[in-house]
Amino acid sequence: MGLTGGIGAGKSAVARLLAGHGAVVIDADQLAREVVAPGTPGLRAVVEEFGSHLLGADGALDRAALGAVVFADPEARRRLEAITHPLVGAQAVERMAQAPADAVVVYDVPLLVEAGLADRYDVVVVVEAPLEVRLARLADRGLPPEQARARMANQADDAARRAVADVLVDNGGSLEDLRARVDEVWARLLAAHQPG
């Protein structure tokens, strides 16, 4: 199953709730951090492409500094994605292969629509929330509204995500509302996952 949603929609909360039901969750954002960890070929390639000034004193990638570069320049973002997306994809395939044969595997992919990955999944779940809610959540995480809007502008819009969705999860309400909706989604996934 592919899980996606715009920044601030609450995709990670849905992933955690699905994991609580027993799903094997593979987080593309976590894989993206792993493939550029110190000592990796991914980090070396990013530094060769964008410069060593993006390294912190500890030798780790300064993700905020890199984000400032790539979210302001679509060509720079494409160059970064050309480095990281194949590495993340390879790691995801490896993790999926390690999951038990009877597991419900959830691939949490922020850019599922943008990367044209929807047809790779039996089910695509899209998490949505109103713009004001998303902006408030991102502000609570320390992301100023202008930066949040810039990141949203670099993502697919709600209509594009809805066009590939098999299941829509409205996350504009309370956590209890979200839990109830994820319980419904889980029941549907289990039913679809049964052989025969």
Side-chain angles (χ1 to χ4, degrees), residues 82-190:
I83 295 167
T84 59
H85 283 187
L87 298 171
V88 169
Q91 283 294 312
V93 167
E94 186 176 314
R95 303 271 170 97
M96 287 179 200
Q98 294 169 355
D102 62 345
V104 173
V105 178
V106 176
Y107 191 26
D108 178 350
V109 189
L111 301 178
L112 183 145
V113 173
E114 296 82 345
L117 302 176
D119 60 351
R120 295 186 184 184
Y121 303 99
D122 295 335
V123 177
V124 174
V125 176
V126 173
V127 183
E128 293 185 323
L131 177 62
E132 319 78 60
V133 172
R134 294 170 62 193
L135 289 171
R137 288 174 182 159
L138 295 168
D140 288 346
R141 294 187 219 159
L143 191 64
E146 63 279 2
Q147 289 182 26
R149 287 180 186 276
R151 291 187 183 198
M152 288 176 186
N154 283 307
Q155 293 185 336
D157 62 17
D158 289 341
R161 282 189 288 270
R162 282 186 203 121
V164 302
D166 297 301
V167 179
L168 286 172
V169 174
D170 177 357
N171 188 22
S174 69
L175 183 56
E176 292 74 27
D177 293 338
L178 182 62
R179 275 196 189 100
R181 182 64 178 120
V182 170
D183 288 349
E184 293 170 8
V185 170
W186 181 250
R188 179 175 170 177
L189 291 173
L190 285 183

Side-chain angles (χ1 to χ4, degrees), residues 6 9 13 20 22 24 26 30 36 41-42 47 56 59 70 75 95 108 148 156 174 182 196:
V24 174
I26 301 168
Q30 177 61 38
V36 294
V47 169
V70 301
E75 179 54 36
R95 303 271 170 97
D108 178 350
S174 69
V182 170

Side-chain angles (χ1 to χ4, degrees), residues 42-97:
L43 180 60
R44 284 191 295 280
V46 168
V47 169
E48 285 173 16
E49 183 67 33
F50 295 98
S52 61
H53 67 282
L54 294 175
L55 292 177
D58 60 356
L61 183 62
D62 182 340
R63 293 177 59 83
L66 179 61
V69 170
V70 301
F71 286 112
D73 179 355
E75 179 54 36
R77 191 179 77 251
R78 283 189 285 276
R79 292 191 336 260
L80 176 64
E81 290 170 352
I83 295 167
T84 59
H85 283 187
L87 298 171
V88 169
Q91 283 294 312
V93 167
E94 186 176 314
R95 303 271 170 97
M96 287 179 200

